[in-house]
């Protein structure tokens, strides 16, 4: 369907009651974050949900369901609440005595909004900083974010873009034009971000250095035999996609690669959507063809490798390198079983 389900509250007002987290990648789930405390404190939410349903003829048809959603959190008894209060009072008394013994004034710890900061100490030239929060944000203060570059002994402000992630509702990214080999400091003032459930973030500080070009290698594939629309996926030693580039004028070039082992596969992108598509029996459509570069390449730092790749040079079932195969051929399995018996 190209539209969201229509949700109507039967015992609550659904207007602006939710923040909707859209699905990403192959995930097919919508997540509704309840932003209104008057709603999420209700024991049972009653609603009608209108959406497009796939019928037995594989056609989308309108359908409406009435739902009752019961909170997973069981209300605590007075005895349980009293026990929790006593435990907190004991912990507080213990903390106060400890502070008094150390000659300090007890300050109750502040609970902050959790945030995961991705800013590795050794930053790739093409990489960026990410902030991932545990819940959607109600507000973000752009002016409380600072990015500085170290020049001699001074830290100078540098320009950057702070934008929401296009796929993850709770992630924000910081983009900047990194100068290779230079040191940077990323800082965020306290209370810069405010979550929908009332918590602010603590202050953040991360220092890192951007890698130099000579720490990387490059791989250039000269491709022949591919369709006019095709792309190449660069793979690591575990057959996972590292990077994807389109084939342009018979070339697929990968820059700024970390040293290591790499494989590659090419997809003839019949419909030009940039992803591999399966076949469909009803439409008599075959899956898009996949071709493997027949070798795993070991790339070293400060090296450029140019590889000639005729995708039709080997039969399809002989192309994928043994090192990338997740399952051993049946012949190898037979040998292993024979050895185990012996």
């Amino acid at each position: 369907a190209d539209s969201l389900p229509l949700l109507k509250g039967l015992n609550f007002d659904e207007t602006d009651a939710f923040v909707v987290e859209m699905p990403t990648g192959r995930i097919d789930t919508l997540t509704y974050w309840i932003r209104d405390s008057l709603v999420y404190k209700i024991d049972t939410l009653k609603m009608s949900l209108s959406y497009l349903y796939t019928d037995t003829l594989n056609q989308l048809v309108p359908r409406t369901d009435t739902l009752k959603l019961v909170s997973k959190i069981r209300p605590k008894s007075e005895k349980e609440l009293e026990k929790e209060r006593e435990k907190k009072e004991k912990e507080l008394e213990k903390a106060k005595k400890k502070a008094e013994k150390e000659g300090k004034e007890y300050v109750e710890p502040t609970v902050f909004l959790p945030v995961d900061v991705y800013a590795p100490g050794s930053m790739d030239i093409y990489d960026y900083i990410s902030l991932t929060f545990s819940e959607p944000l109600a507000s973000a203060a752009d002016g409380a974010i600072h990015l500085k570059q170290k020049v001699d002994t001074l830290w100078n402000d540098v320009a950057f873009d702070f934008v929401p992630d296009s796929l993850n509702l709770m992630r924000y990214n910081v983009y900047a034009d990194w100068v290779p080999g230079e040191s940077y400091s990323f800082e965020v003032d306290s209370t810069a971000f405010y979550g929908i459930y009332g918590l602010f973030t603590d202050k953040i500080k991360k220092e890192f250095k951007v890698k130099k070009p000579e720490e990387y290698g490059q791989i250039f594939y000269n491709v022949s035999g591919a369709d006019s629309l095709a792309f190449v996926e660069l793979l690591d030693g575990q057959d996972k996609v590292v990077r994807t580039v389109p084939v342009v004028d018979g070339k697929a070039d990968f820059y700024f690669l970390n040293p290591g082992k790499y494989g590659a596969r090419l997809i003839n992108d019949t419909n030009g959507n940039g992803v591999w598509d399966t076949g469909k029996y009803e439409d008599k459509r075959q899956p898009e063809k996949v071709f493997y570069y027949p070798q795993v390449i070991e790339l070293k730092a400060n090296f450029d490798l140019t590889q000639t790749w005729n995708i039709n040079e080997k039969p399809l079932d002989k192309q994928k390198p043994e090192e990338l195969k997740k399952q051993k051929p049946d012949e190898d399995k037979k040998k292993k079983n024979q050895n185990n018996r012996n």
Side-chain angles (χ1 to χ4, degrees):
D2 57 4
S3 59
L4 290 175
L6 179 62
L7 190 154
K8 175 71 176 175
L10 301 179
N11 66 337
F12 66 95
D13 183 3
E14 79 284 354
T15 308
D16 294 328
F18 303 101
V19 176
V20 183
E21 183 179 352
M22 302 293 286
T24 60
R26 294 183 181 273
I27 300 173
D28 58 0
T29 302
L30 286 169
T31 302
Y32 287 76
W33 292 80
I34 308 173
R35 71 163 96 212
D36 190 344
S37 62
L38 295 177
V39 177
Y40 64 68
K41 288 182 179 179
I42 298 175
D43 178 70
T44 302
L45 296 181
K46 299 176 183 178
M47 64 187 74
S48 67
L49 196 67
S50 301
Y51 58 98
L52 293 177
Y53 170 77
T54 306
D55 64 11
T56 55
L57 298 176
N58 206 32
Q59 300 295 317
L60 290 174
V61 295
R63 175 171 170 172
T64 299
D65 287 332
T66 300
L67 307 176
K68 290 183 180 181
L69 305 183
V70 181
S71 173
K72 287 184 177 180
I73 302 173
R74 178 181 59 83
K76 295 179 181 178
S77 65
E78 280 299 324
K79 188 176 181 180
E80 288 174 319
L81 292 172
E82 181 61 30
K83 195 173 181 179
E84 281 189 5
R85 282 194 291 267
E86 289 177 358
K87 183 180 178 181
K88 287 182 180 179
E89 287 175 1
K90 287 180 181 179
E91 290 175 350
L92 178 61
E93 189 62 30
K94 186 178 179 180
K96 286 181 177 179
K97 287 181 179 179
K98 183 181 178 182
E100 186 180 347
K101 188 176 181 180
E102 295 174 352
K104 301 176 183 178
E105 182 180 351
Y106 173 75
V107 179
E108 190 170 344
T110 305
V111 179
F112 291 103
L113 174 66
V115 54
D116 180 40
V117 183
Y118 172 79
S122 182
M123 179 74 75
D124 282 308
I125 290 175
Y126 54 81
D127 212 349
Y128 51 90
I129 299 168
S130 287
L131 304 172
T132 306
F133 301 90
S134 58
E135 64 191 50
L137 294 182
S139 65
D142 294 7
I145 304 171
H146 314 281
L147 185 63
K148 301 176 185 290
Q149 179 186 344
K150 191 174 185 180
V151 181
D152 296 326
T153 57
L154 301 176
W155 290 94
N156 297 336
D157 290 324
V158 296
F160 64 90
D161 292 320
F162 177 72
V163 295
D165 191 89
S166 59
L167 298 177
N168 190 335
L169 172 69
M170 292 173 287
R171 181 178 297 152
Y172 290 75
N173 302 319
V174 177
Y175 298 96
D177 293 326
W178 309 124
V179 179
E182 295 300 309
S183 297
Y184 290 84
S185 177
F186 173 68
E187 300 176 23
V188 180
D189 300 337
S190 60
T191 72
F193 304 108
Y194 181 56
I196 62 171
Y197 298 132
L199 293 178
F200 286 96
T201 52
D202 196 2
K203 59 183 178 180
I204 299 168
K205 184 173 182 179
K206 295 282 185 179
E207 293 186 359
F208 56 90
K209 190 172 184 178
V210 179
K211 290 181 179 180
K212 299 177 181 179
E214 54 265 32
E215 296 180 61
Y216 297 97
Q218 277 74 234
I219 300 177
F220 308 120
Y221 291 101
N222 292 327
V223 180
S224 60
D227 290 352
S228 58
L229 292 175
F231 60 88
V232 173
E233 294 178 332
L234 194 70
L235 311 170
D236 65 11
Q238 283 71 50
D239 201 19
K240 294 180 181 177
V241 177
V242 176
R243 209 177 297 172
T244 303
V245 299
V247 177
V248 180
D249 297 329
K251 296 182 180 295
D253 298 337
F254 294 92
Y255 296 90
F256 300 120
L257 298 173
N258 288 305
K261 291 185 176 182
Y262 293 96
R265 66 175 168 235
L266 180 144
I267 288 86
N268 276 335
D269 193 13
T270 307
N271 59 7
N273 66 352
V275 296
W276 176 77
D277 291 295
T278 60
K280 191 172 182 181
Y281 180 79
E282 294 91 336
D283 298 340
K284 298 182 179 179
R285 188 179 71 229
Q286 296 290 332
E288 292 178 333
K289 285 189 175 181
V290 179
F291 303 83
Y292 277 86
Y293 186 70
Q295 298 175 14
V296 171
I297 302 171
E298 184 161 4
L299 181 66
K300 296 181 180 179
N302 208 24
F303 269 73
D304 293 350
L305 298 178
T306 301
Q307 309 296 121
T308 300
W309 184 5
N310 180 349
I311 65 171
N312 297 311
E313 188 174 1
K314 284 190 173 186
L316 285 175
D317 61 341
K318 303 291 184 183
Q319 290 186 1
K320 189 171 184 179
E322 292 293 328
E323 197 170 338
L324 293 181
K325 289 183 178 178
K326 295 180 180 178
Q327 293 183 349
K328 294 293 181 183
D330 291 341
E331 193 174 318
D332 288 351
K333 288 181 181 178
K334 289 177 183 177
K335 290 179 182 177
K336 186 177 179 181
N337 292 335
Q338 184 68 35
N339 292 334
N340 290 337
R341 284 195 294 269
N342 293 337

